[in-house]
Amino acid sequence: MQYPTPRRQIIDYCMKMLDDGLTLGTSGNISVRVDDHVLITPSGVPYPDLTPESICLLDMAGHQLEGDLKPSTEVPFHELIYSRDPKAAAVIHTHPVYGTVAGTLCDSLPLIHYMLAPHGGSVRVADYARFGTQELADNVSAAMAGRKAVLLRNHGAACWGKDLAEAYMLCDYLEWVCKVWVIARTAGTPALLTTDQFEEAMTEITGSGYLPGSRD
Ligand SMILES: [Zn+2]
């Protein structure tokens, strides 16, 4: 079995994602790119039942090399993110409550808080397509330019980074900003940052090491 350490890290982040309420049941999935391989969670297995052997090993074209279980249905968009963003080495897909709500209300998450800076700016909403399809992967591709996150219309969210720690941090902050925006929108008409205000904050955050992983 190749890559035992990243397999274990994937399981640890799956449990964290579940414990933190960023997804529910068997929904969501996590992958890591190592060299020219992708490790990804299997489809339909409860996270507490995952073992290192149950994580699927794929090549960069999505062909399964190791593992007896069926890989996640979302292999197409994980592989697409890796092919589009050479710095991406971990992808986390969640079904978070506020991120999913926000994805039904806007085409691009408004700049309500500067903690969208680590994501690269206003996170776009990928058009709806059924889970597991190449069409969904294509819609993610159309929404991801210059960002490290997308919202998926009527579905959830996905974030990626140089490692699992960064991808997870982005998922966590994205859900927090979506919660702020959804609650503010429910209460009234929220004030938004101007592009200049946001870019000033983004320069400070990305240049100062304000967040782990934010220097890239
Ligand atoms: Zn999903």
Side-chain angles (χ1 to χ4, degrees):
M1 184 181 73
Q2 297 182 71
Y3 311 122
T5 302
R7 287 169 188 263
R8 173 52 61 193
Q9 290 168 340
I10 286 173
I11 295 170
D12 290 346
Y13 276 95
C14 285
M15 293 310 298
K16 188 168 170 52
M17 176 170 78
L18 198 59
D19 291 346
D20 291 346
L22 287 174
T23 203
L24 189 68
T26 60
S27 60
N29 34 68
I30 293 183
S31 73
V32 165
R33 169 161 63 182
V34 189
D35 304 323
D36 55 351
H37 293 130
V38 172
L39 291 158
I40 191 163
T41 45
S43 180
V45 178
Y47 292 120
D49 296 344
L50 289 176
T51 62
E53 293 76 13
S54 62
I55 304 299
C56 304
L57 180 69
L58 313 178
D59 66 17
M60 296 311 293
H63 302 120
Q64 188 162 0
L65 305 174
E66 285 184 10
D68 296 331
L69 299 171
K70 192 166 172 269
S72 161
T73 54
E74 300 297 9
V75 165
F77 86 64
H78 284 253
E79 294 271 4
L80 184 138
I81 289 168
Y82 292 126
S83 72
R84 285 284 313 275
D85 184 347
K87 288 185 176 176
V91 177
I92 299 180
H93 165 49
T94 58
H95 288 187
V97 173
Y98 287 95
T100 305
V101 172
T104 67
L105 296 172
C106 63
D107 294 326
S108 183
L109 192 59
L111 296 174
I112 195 166
H113 199 283
Y114 62 78
M115 284 314 297
L116 285 172
H119 307 82
S122 177
V123 173
R124 302 182 196 95
V125 180
D127 288 341
Y128 179 78
R130 201 202 75 210
F131 68 89
T133 58
Q134 185 58 44
E135 186 184 359
L136 178 60
D138 293 341
N139 294 348
V140 168
S141 178
M144 68 180 279
R147 302 290 184 270
K148 294 180 180 179
V150 290
L151 293 171
L152 309 174
R153 178 98 65 216
N154 301 104
H155 184 160
C159 298
W160 54 95
K162 65 182 182 185
D163 53 26
L164 281 167
E166 184 184 17
Y168 195 86
M169 174 197 74
L170 294 169
C171 287
D172 222 6
Y173 277 117
L174 178 60
E175 176 62 357
W176 183 84
V177 175
C178 287
K179 185 174 183 178
V180 168
W181 181 67
V182 167
I183 291 174
R185 195 179 185 277
T186 305
T189 304
L192 300 174
L193 295 170
T194 65
T195 303
D196 285 350
Q197 288 170 332
F198 183 80
E199 286 181 356
E200 182 192 12
M202 188 152 78
T203 300
E204 183 66 17
I205 285 175
T206 55
S208 66
Y210 180 88
L211 288 169
S214 63
R215 286 177 187 275
D216 293 340

